[in-house]
Amino acid sequence: MENKQLTFLSKDPECLSQKPLDSSWTMHIDGASRNNPGPSGAGFSLMRQEEIVCEQGFFLGQRTNNQAEYFALLIGLFFVHEFMDKKDKLIIYSDSQLLVRQMNRTYKISNPLLKKMQHLAYEMMQGYNVKFCHVYREFNLRADVLANRGIDKNVLLPKRFLDIVSKHEII
C-alpha cells in the first residue's frame, strides 16, 4: 500500500517513498474550490526532514480548482524563500496530476491565467533545485486541511505575496 500513490505516474524512488533520498526539504501543497469555481483556498506544509517549518492555509476568493492548486504552489514557493537556502533540494508533493504534469512540462497549458501562474512559479524557483511528485489525496491530507481551513477562517494572503501576483497580472 505504501507505494500506491505513484505507481501509475513515476518509478522515481523519491516520489514513491515520499521520503527524500538526498534532500532535507519537502512541501505538500493543495488547492480547494467549493463548487468549482467557488470559494477557494490554498494550503501548504513546508518540512525540513520530519519537522514542520511553516504551514498555512489562505482564502483565495472565487477561483477554479486548478487556479487554487497553482496558488498553493505559488504561496508555498513564496514562503520557501524565507526558510530555504538555494543549495538545498526541495521536493514538492501535490495531489493535482495536472499541476505536476504541467510543472514537469509533460502537459502543455492552454489556459492563459494558468500559463501566467506557471511562468511565475518557474521564476520563483529559479536557482532552486525543485522536483515535483504526484501523490494521491490520502497522502496529502495536511495540505488539504490547511486549504479548507483558509476558506473557513477567511485567512488573508500576505500583502507582499499579493503585490507579487498583482504585478504578474494573476489577481
Side-chain angles (χ1 to χ4, degrees):
M1 175 94 174
E2 174 149 337
N3 291 345
K4 173 186 170 195
Q5 69 270 22
L6 270 184
T7 54
F8 67 99
L9 282 179
S10 172
K11 303 286 186 223
D12 186 320
E14 286 180 310
C15 291
L16 289 171
S17 72
Q18 288 195 63
K19 300 243 188 244
L21 300 177
D22 63 353
S23 166
S24 56
W25 290 92
T26 58
M27 184 166 59
H28 284 258
I29 61 172
D30 197 25
S33 179
R34 298 176 182 163
N35 298 323
N36 196 26
S40 299
F44 76 95
S45 181
L46 178 64
M47 298 179 71
R48 181 171 189 154
Q49 296 169 349
E50 301 293 321
E51 181 183 336
I52 295 171
V53 173
C54 181
E55 64 178 12
Q56 185 61 269
F58 296 96
F59 179 63
L60 303 173
Q62 299 290 309
R63 300 281 173 192
T64 68
N65 186 58
N66 291 332
Q67 291 167 352
E69 297 286 356
Y70 268 93
F71 267 106
L73 171 60
L74 294 174
I75 193 69
L77 290 172
F78 173 79
F79 280 95
V80 158
H81 288 253
E82 291 188 27
F83 295 100
M84 241 182 91
D85 293 327
K86 288 190 175 185
K87 65 179 174 24
D88 296 326
K89 183 174 183 181
L90 172 65
I91 301 175
I92 298 174
Y93 296 100
S94 172
D95 59 25
S96 169
Q97 284 185 43
L98 182 74
L99 179 136
V100 170
R101 289 180 175 181
Q102 287 175 341
M103 292 307 296
N104 285 332
R105 294 188 167 115
T106 305
Y107 283 178
K108 292 186 179 186
I109 302 176
S110 57
N111 181 289
L113 179 58
L114 295 185
K115 276 185 184 180
K116 287 180 184 180
M117 296 174 97
Q118 181 196 48
H119 178 74
L120 177 56
Y122 286 138
E123 270 186 36
M124 294 172 84
M125 294 183 325
Q126 197 164 22
Y128 288 88
N129 182 358
V130 180
K131 174 186 250 177
F132 287 88
C133 294
H134 175 265
V135 292
Y136 285 125
R137 276 193 185 121
E138 61 262 30
F139 297 102
N140 206 35
L141 293 178
R142 184 69 188 150
D144 178 67
V145 166
L146 292 165
N148 280 290
R149 185 180 300 154
I151 298 170
D152 295 338
K153 297 199 179 280
N154 198 26
V155 180
L156 299 177
L157 290 161
K159 182 179 178 346
R160 283 187 17 232
F161 176 77
L162 289 171
D163 291 344
I164 293 167
V165 293
S166 176
K167 186 172 81 172
H168 287 82
E169 299 176 353
I170 292 172
I171 287 190

